[in-house]
Amino acid sequence: MRPPRSELAEAIYICRDSFKSAAFFSLFINMLMLFPSIYMMQVYDRVLGSNSISTLLMLTLLAVMLFAMLGALEWIRSQVLIRVSTRFDLLLNERLYRVLFKQALVSGGKSSTQPLSDLLALRQFLTGQGLFAFFDAPWLPIYVVLLFLFNPAFGYVAIVSVVVLIFLATWNERATHDDLEQANQLSVESSNATARNLRNAEVVHALGMLPSLMARWKEKQKKLIILQALSSEKGGLISALSKTYRVTIQSLILGLGAWLAINKQISPGMMIGGSILLGRALAPIDLMIGSWKQFLTARTAYGRINELLAHFPAEADRMALPAPTGSLRAEQVIVAPPGSKVAVIKGVNFAIEAGTFVALIGASASGKSTLARALLGIWPAASGAIRMDGADVMQSDRGLVGPYIGYLPQDIELFDGTIAENIARFGEVDANHVVDAAIAAGVHEMILRLPQGYDTEIGSSGGALSAGQRQRVGLARAIYGNPVLVVLDEPNSNLDDVGEYALAQALLVLKQRGCTVIVITHRVGILSIVDRIMVLNEGALVLDGPRDEVLAKLNQRPATQATQGQSV
């Protein structure tokens, strides 16, 4: 049984009717390509032999009409392929976009946009001249047969020429493949490294790291330039040889035709027609050689996308579950950060009822943020399961569950857009809900003082907002839309006294709503309003229970341990 097609192959298969249409137009295009030879033969053999002006005029009129038809068919074929490339992109772009985020989750944010560039390379190849060569190449045997009909000598010259050009094409593939593969890989690595450095531009500038980072970048660029130069030199040499051979053989076949015409074996018109026909027969192979670099780039992009899609299979449609209430359960959960084999969370068990206010505390590197990410399904559990309302969080449809969840990470990331769009999570902006969330987060007055208020444009770095203001906008985003579960990771790390008070008021609002809240903190002020405290130590849950009970146990420990247990 034939193995199932890959997603990429399936997308191409879906477009098969359009490719068939392009091949159909290629049939008539190549039939019309025979007319220049026919026209020259008729001019030399019929018009010049009879000195008939009327015959010349009729032939020329017919030639102009057919050439106009040829141009129209070429344009239609190109339009068909443009639409194929557009459809191909639409079949894959959303899937690739989702995969990029999945890749970022499992790699700890190390994903890149290279797959989207690869998809663009495939689109460009589908609309480029190189693909036309593949449609025209099947006509090569027909041209060779016609040359044999002219004269066997023409046919043999055509066969030898085809063999020579195929040899040059194969040589081009072997000579440039490895260098181009390495250059493409190095280009991707260099682009990704540069993007990461740009995200940390402030640190680079403040610490004077630019010369060192630039030296590393220049070293990679040097290798990249050398590899590209080597492949271009080899490809350029082979392309020049191919073009030189074509020009030479088309001139020599004229000489051969003249010799045959002198010996009365062919007519003068067949001499000219044979030269034109040979050029047309060799054109697809020569075009393949000229566009080989683009073909290799497209082939490499195809392989990378195919591998990526196979590594992240499409999720099956799941039946929608009732709206969650916010209850959580951890069952022997073991969690390791993406790319690491060392477990940070080690066999944790607990249950949190809906509407419970929990403080998660512990020493630095005790696994608090890791557990928070696992609770939200950001990082998968290596063993065990985390369930929200009984359903595994890793199996939930994020598009459906996301509106019921609020999350404020340690590193606040805002996105390009207005403050209102950021708070509304870039969904449909409900002005009342946006303002309610901003008021609850204590950031409404601050936003109103901005030049454009809620319509103020900000970027990923928060624009002109301070760290504390970004954190409060992030808090408003987390509580937007009345979520049932809110996880706050160090929500007061950048707040002043005013911000602290606003945070406390926001937490009280969440508590009044009956929202399940898990807050990671090292400040004892928040502990006064929580229902329950969970203490992590080296990835293990060492204390868990009502607030007063856990605080009493912590106070019974030696001072150093108590202090350590409540710090981050």
Side-chain angles (χ1 to χ4, degrees), residues 308-378:
L308 182 65
L309 294 179
H311 190 68
F312 295 95
E315 295 181 356
D317 293 333
R318 297 187 178 92
M319 186 184 75
L321 297 175
T325 63
S327 64
L328 287 173
R329 180 179 296 276
E331 303 170 349
Q332 288 294 328
V333 173
I334 297 175
V335 183
S340 173
K341 296 181 180 179
V342 179
V344 174
I345 301 299
K346 305 166 184 176
V348 168
N349 283 286
F350 60 82
I352 301 175
E353 297 300 325
T356 307
F357 200 135
V358 181
L360 183 61
I361 64 176
S364 297
S366 60
K368 302 183 297 299
S369 295
T370 297
L371 180 58
R373 291 185 177 100
L375 290 175
L376 295 170
I378 298 172

Side-chain angles (χ1 to χ4, degrees), residues 124 142 281 425 506 529:
Q124 290 175 336
I142 297 175
R425 308 180 182 189
I529 59 175

Side-chain angles (χ1 to χ4, degrees), residues 118-142:
D118 289 338
L119 183 60
L120 176 61
L122 285 177
R123 279 192 59 194
Q124 290 175 336
F125 179 75
L126 290 176
T127 57
Q129 292 294 319
L131 189 61
F132 293 156
F134 290 91
F135 286 114
D136 296 338
W139 279 79
L140 191 150
I142 297 175

Side-chain angles (χ1 to χ4, degrees), residues 378-417:
I378 298 172
W379 288 357
S383 179
I386 294 174
R387 302 185 182 278
M388 182 166 63
D389 288 12
D392 191 327
V393 294
M394 294 304 298
Q395 303 302 320
S396 61
D397 187 328
R398 307 310 299 184
L400 297 177
V401 175
Y404 296 97
I405 293 175
Y407 178 47
L408 180 67
Q410 281 191 39
D411 299 322
I412 307 301
E413 288 288 347
L414 301 179
F415 303 93
D416 294 336

Side-chain angles (χ1 to χ4, degrees), residues 15 17 44 59 64 92 106 129 229 247-248 258 262 298 310 345 440 456 485 503 511 530 563 567:
C15 300
D17 289 339
Y44 271 83
L59 283 173
V64 171
L92 292 171
V106 301
Q129 292 294 319
V247 172
T248 302
I262 291 172
I345 301 299
T456 300
L485 170 65
L503 172 63
K511 191 171 185 178
V530 305
T563 302
S567 64

